[in-house]
Amino acid sequence: MSTRKRIGVLISGRGSNMSSLIEACIIPEYPAEITIVISNDPSAPGLDIAAQSGITTRSIDHKQYPSREAFEADLDAALKEAGVDLICNAGFMRLLTNGFVEGWRDRQLNIHPSLLPAFKGLHTHERAIEAGVRISGCTVHYVRTQMDAGPIIAQAAVPVLPDDSADDLAARVLEAEHKLYPLALEMVASGKATVEGERVVFNEKPKAHGAYIAPWFDVN
Ligand code: GRF
């Protein structure tokens, strides 16, 4: 019997991080499989990409609901119906209420394109360049009610180059995101990474301890 964790991926747009997870799950030894992809935006290009990979997709359009709670009730039901063990937010652009977040506590991951806790929220790359930081990157973390907060599972660092535009930096960080999310999910799905006192601890030595610096040296 398969012991792979069943993953529900939440998207709102192009779904390139979702694609990196789909690719990782093709490997038979990978400890997770994607059972459903759900978008709050019915026109999200990622829905077609998932469907082409043979994955069940749903669109649950938040605009059709009178409240966040009503939207989240259907989202929750769809995830449970699909037998989801873990949720991966991948460019999912809705803030979730405390009720939903607590219902999936320590079972919901998010990827954010900065080295948290720096540059939470939107326009991260513009703000990183504006602040003059020399290194930026991305973070995979457990979801908490506060936006872009929660125990950090893994981070990857990339350089900010002197002539970078926000688009240049976004592209460099995105490449790192596509490597980092599958690694972080592997740590969680295999049970190697768990939350203790709002920090992620490793119960068993993982392949790397959660810090990566492009071009992918494991910092152990
Ligand atoms: C990524 O940069 C992710 O970190 C952020 O939104 C973007 C989504 O891109 N939360 P994609 O839909 O995965 O291509």
Side-chain angles (χ1 to χ4, degrees):
M1 204 184 77
S2 164
T3 56
R4 301 175 100 195
K5 290 277 187 264
R6 295 168 65 86
I7 309 300
V9 181
L10 303 186
I11 63 167
S12 299
R14 73 188 157 182
S16 70
N17 277 291
M18 172 205 74
S19 296
S20 76
L21 296 178
I22 291 175
E23 217 169 286
C25 289
I26 291 170
I27 300 163
E29 297 77 36
Y30 194 76
E33 62 190 347
I34 298 173
T35 46
I36 192 163
V37 170
I38 302 175
S39 175
N40 65 302
D41 179 348
S43 68
L47 285 172
D48 288 339
I49 298 169
Q52 278 158 24
S53 300
I55 296 168
T56 302
T57 62
R58 287 274 303 267
S59 69
I60 302 179
D61 184 354
H62 66 278
K63 294 198 189 107
Q64 305 298 321
Y65 291 85
S67 66
R68 282 187 191 273
E69 286 77 6
F71 162 69
E72 289 172 3
D74 274 7
L75 184 59
D76 187 66
L79 290 161
K80 287 185 175 145
E81 204 175 291
V84 164
D85 299 309
L86 286 169
I87 302 172
C88 287
N89 294 2
F92 182 63
M93 302 303 284
R94 298 299 297 164
L95 286 177
L96 296 161
T97 68
N98 195 48
F100 185 92
V101 171
E102 285 305 314
W104 289 91
R105 190 180 177 84
D106 298 343
R107 294 187 298 145
Q108 185 176 18
L109 279 52
N110 182 45
I111 186 156
H112 182 75
S114 77
L115 292 174
L116 291 174
F119 308 118
K120 296 176 179 181
L122 297 174
H123 310 299
T124 49
H125 307 300
E126 286 87 340
R127 288 187 288 133
I129 290 169
E130 177 69 23
V133 298
R134 300 291 190 237
I135 292 173
S136 191
C138 50
T139 303
V140 178
H141 63 96
Y142 285 100
V143 172
R144 294 291 183 262
T145 310
Q146 297 80 12
M147 184 185 54
D148 299 326
I152 291 170
I153 300 156
Q155 292 186 305
V158 303
V160 181
L161 301 179
D163 295 328
D164 270 350
S165 65
D167 287 348
D168 294 335
L169 181 56
R172 194 173 307 118
V173 171
L174 192 66
E175 217 182 307
E177 291 183 47
H178 295 162
K179 293 189 163 75
L180 189 71
Y181 214 167
L183 290 167
L185 176 59
E186 183 180 357
M187 290 184 204
V188 172
S190 63
K192 288 176 189 154
T194 51
V195 183
E196 262 179 39
E198 288 305 84
R199 288 182 58 175
V200 172
V201 295
F202 298 114
N203 306 323
E204 192 187 313
K205 194 171 160 35
K207 261 202 308 230
H209 88 307
Y212 304 89
I213 298 176
W216 305 99
F217 298 109
D218 293 341
V219 187
N220 271 315

